[in-house]
């Protein structure tokens, strides 16, 4: 049936996990998100991290100032949870119109996570405060100890930390960010309705061969790292199942090409340039284009208790070439599928 579909209009989607950075990179990347999404949850892992509502509001203003003049795109801000986060700050988030959640990075788990939480049990009182005030907690779910195999870090985090957090704080709304394994999918499916999850385009489209087979390809290196094919299949099944626990979060994470193509390349895939087109490829592969709208436009808004967007976007079956680089005077960013063809193209977007 999907084979006959060559045009798709869906409600305007949102991106529930996005890195836009700051300064000149921000100006280059934000227009990509703004042309296809109504809103995005903005990650707080700047250097230094965004840890207070006051900082988040300044960052929000910087993002708004970087948007194209006619854009109605709304950045939804988050705070970076640290061992020093106070319960007063949690209350401020609960009262803020513009700050929507806290992000937990286990210390050292990923790009700019040095300020993250070392001992997670030590911040349980903060989880209790978030539970009480109805503030969602977004979790980068990986253990960080050097002795753990990088491909096992998500599963070990779920078994040793996340299952305990969800048991102790059943009313805390948790987003398990960027799922990468079958076990993570099963965990989210079995958890109560306060547990949701985002899934990235790269984890739906690629397995770990993309990074390592036939040469080391740093533009596919992100964290949590791509896994085996059966995990990709499980993610595709979850994303296209219609289950409202699963929603779109690109984790688009721009880095200068020079820092990716490096002896110690940094983690993050840039996907904002073609986010919806990439998801459409994955959903089409699964014969489930009819499930894209729920995943991209409804489930996340419902989970965050925000109104669904009233605008629409249209995707058409047209082939186009992804540029090799996106450049401004200061930066060069290599996007996902650089120099390759995509078969879906965003042809219209209207923000209600
Ligand atoms: C992200 C980044 O670059 O900020 N990198 C990544 O590989 N996903 C951080 C993160 O979300 O883990
Ligand atoms: Zn991220």
């Amino acid at each position: 049936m999907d084979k006959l579909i060559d045009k798709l209009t869906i409600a305007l989607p949102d991106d529930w996990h996005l890195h836009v950075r700051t300064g000149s990179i921000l100006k280059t990347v934000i227009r990509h998100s703004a042309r296809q999404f109504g809103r995005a949850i903005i990650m707080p892992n700047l250097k230094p991290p965004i840890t207070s509502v006051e900082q988040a509001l300044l960052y929000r203003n910087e993002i708004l100032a970087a948007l194209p003049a006619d854009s109605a795109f709304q950045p939804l801000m988050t705070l970076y949870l640290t061992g020093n986060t106070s319960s007063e700050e949690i209350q401020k988030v609960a009262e803020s119109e513009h700050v929507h959640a806290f992000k937990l990075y286990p210390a050292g788990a990923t790009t700019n996570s040095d300020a993250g939480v070392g001992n997670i049990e030590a911040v349980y009182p903060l989880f209790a405060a978030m539970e009480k005030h109805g503030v969602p907690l977004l979790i980068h779910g990986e253990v960080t100890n050097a002795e753990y195999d990088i491909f096992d870090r998500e599963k070990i985090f779920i078994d040793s930390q996340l299952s305990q957090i969800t048991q102790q704080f059943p009313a805390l709304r948790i987003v398990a960010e960027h799922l990468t394994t079958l076990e993570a999918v099963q965990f989210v499916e079995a958890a109560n309705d306060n547990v949701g999850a985002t899934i990235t385009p790269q984890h739906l489209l690629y397995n770990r061969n993309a990074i390592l087979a036939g040469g080391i390809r740093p533009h596919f290196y992100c964290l949590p790292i791509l896994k085996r094919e059966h995990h990709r299949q499980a993610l595709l099944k979850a994303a296209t199942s219609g289950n409202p626990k699963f929603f779109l979060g690109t984790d688009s994470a721009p880095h200068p090409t020079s820092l990716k193509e490096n002896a110690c390349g940094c983690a993050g895939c840039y996907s904002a340039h073609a986010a919806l087109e990439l998801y459409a490829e994955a959903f089409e592969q699964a014969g489930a284009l009819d499930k894209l709208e729920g995943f991209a436009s409804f489930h996340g808004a419902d989970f965050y208790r925000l109104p669904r967007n009233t605008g629409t976007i249209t995707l058409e079956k047209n082939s186009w070439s992804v540029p090799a680089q996106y450049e401004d005077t200061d930066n060069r960013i290599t996007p996902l599928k650089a120099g390759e063809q995509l078969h879906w193209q965003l042809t219209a977007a209207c923000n209600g």
Side-chain angles (χ1 to χ4, degrees):
M1 155 121 179
D2 275 357
K3 286 196 189 73
L4 304 174
I5 298 177
D6 58 9
K7 189 171 175 178
L8 191 64
T9 295
I10 61 171
L12 184 69
D14 301 300
D15 185 347
W16 300 100
H17 184 135
L18 178 66
H19 301 267
V20 293
R21 317 301 188 202
T22 177
S24 60
I25 277 212
L26 165 63
K27 292 206 179 73
T28 294
V29 301
I30 197 67
R31 66 193 161 90
H32 289 158
S33 293
R35 81 186 177 103
Q36 57 193 308
F37 292 111
R39 299 165 288 197
I41 281 278
I42 306 295
M43 288 294 138
N45 64 330
L46 302 186
K47 276 187 196 166
I50 303 292
T51 55
S52 69
V53 169
E54 201 181 340
Q55 279 175 296
L57 295 181
L58 289 174
Y59 185 28
R60 178 173 177 272
N61 287 341
E62 188 189 350
I63 297 168
L64 292 175
L67 283 167
D70 57 345
S71 178
F73 177 84
Q74 291 174 45
L76 310 177
M77 310 313 291
T78 62
L79 298 193
Y80 190 115
L81 189 76
T82 75
N84 296 322
T85 299
S86 66
S87 48
E88 290 75 47
E89 208 62 46
I90 294 169
Q91 196 166 344
K92 277 194 202 160
V93 170
E95 288 161 6
S96 167
E97 188 188 339
H98 298 303
V99 185
H100 293 266
F102 274 90
K103 175 73 187 271
L104 166 65
Y105 289 101
T110 184
T111 307
N112 299 346
S113 63
D114 305 349
V117 175
N119 175 5
I120 293 180
E121 287 188 13
V123 296
Y124 272 24
L126 300 178
F127 297 166
M130 285 176 213
E131 185 180 46
K132 182 172 136 210
H133 291 291
V135 174
L137 174 65
L138 320 181
I139 301 185
H140 182 115
E142 288 193 287
V143 288
T144 54
N145 313 35
E147 72 262 27
Y148 295 129
D149 189 284
I150 186 161
F151 292 99
D152 298 334
R153 287 179 183 194
E154 183 179 84
K155 181 181 165 11
I156 297 171
F157 183 88
I158 290 169
D159 295 344
S160 66
Q161 305 280 353
L162 188 56
S163 51
Q164 199 180 317
I165 298 171
T166 54
Q167 263 170 35
Q168 296 234 3
F169 305 98
L172 175 60
R173 271 181 300 146
I174 292 175
V175 183
E177 297 287 348
H178 40 50
L179 299 192
T180 66
T181 57
L182 168 64
E183 290 80 6
V185 166
Q186 289 170 337
F187 177 84
V188 172
E189 284 172 346
N192 75 30
D193 286 348
N194 289 322
V195 179
T198 52
I199 304 180
T200 78
Q202 65 266 26
H203 292 100
L204 293 176
L205 288 167
Y206 299 102
N207 63 38
R208 65 194 199 175
N209 281 359
I211 324 168
L212 295 168
I216 295 181
R217 298 171 203 274
H219 298 295
F220 292 101
Y221 175 61
C222 69
L223 289 171
I225 200 160
L226 297 174
K227 306 295 194 304
R228 286 178 181 273
E229 176 62 11
H230 79 271
H231 294 297
R232 185 184 79 86
Q233 293 290 344
L235 295 166
L236 204 49
K237 205 167 150 204
T240 60
S241 65
N243 184 336
K245 284 170 163 266
F246 299 107
F247 40 88
L248 184 158
T250 60
D251 195 16
S252 177
H255 290 279
T257 298
S258 59
L259 298 183
K260 295 283 299 169
E261 296 175 4
N262 191 291
C264 184
C266 54
C269 295
Y270 184 65
S271 60
H273 64 297
L276 255 295
E277 289 107 332
L278 291 161
Y279 281 110
E281 301 249 333
F283 275 62
E284 184 178 46
Q285 234 182 56
L289 279 171
D290 60 323
K291 296 292 197 298
L292 184 62
E293 184 176 50
F295 177 80
S297 314
F298 297 151
H299 301 169
D302 296 351
F303 186 90
Y304 277 88
R305 300 181 184 159
L306 291 168
R308 293 178 177 183
N309 292 322
T310 51
T312 58
I313 57 155
T314 300
L315 294 159
E316 290 184 57
K317 200 80 190 270
N318 291 332
S319 291
W320 61 285
S321 296
V322 176
Q325 302 273 350
Y326 288 98
E327 295 189 51
D328 60 50
T329 41
D330 304 321
N331 310 283
R332 288 194 314 143
I333 300 162
T334 303
L336 210 59
K337 289 213 186 266
E340 289 181 51
Q341 295 260 302
L342 275 173
H343 307 293
W344 284 94
Q345 187 167 37
L346 186 77
T347 53
C350 107
N351 201 327

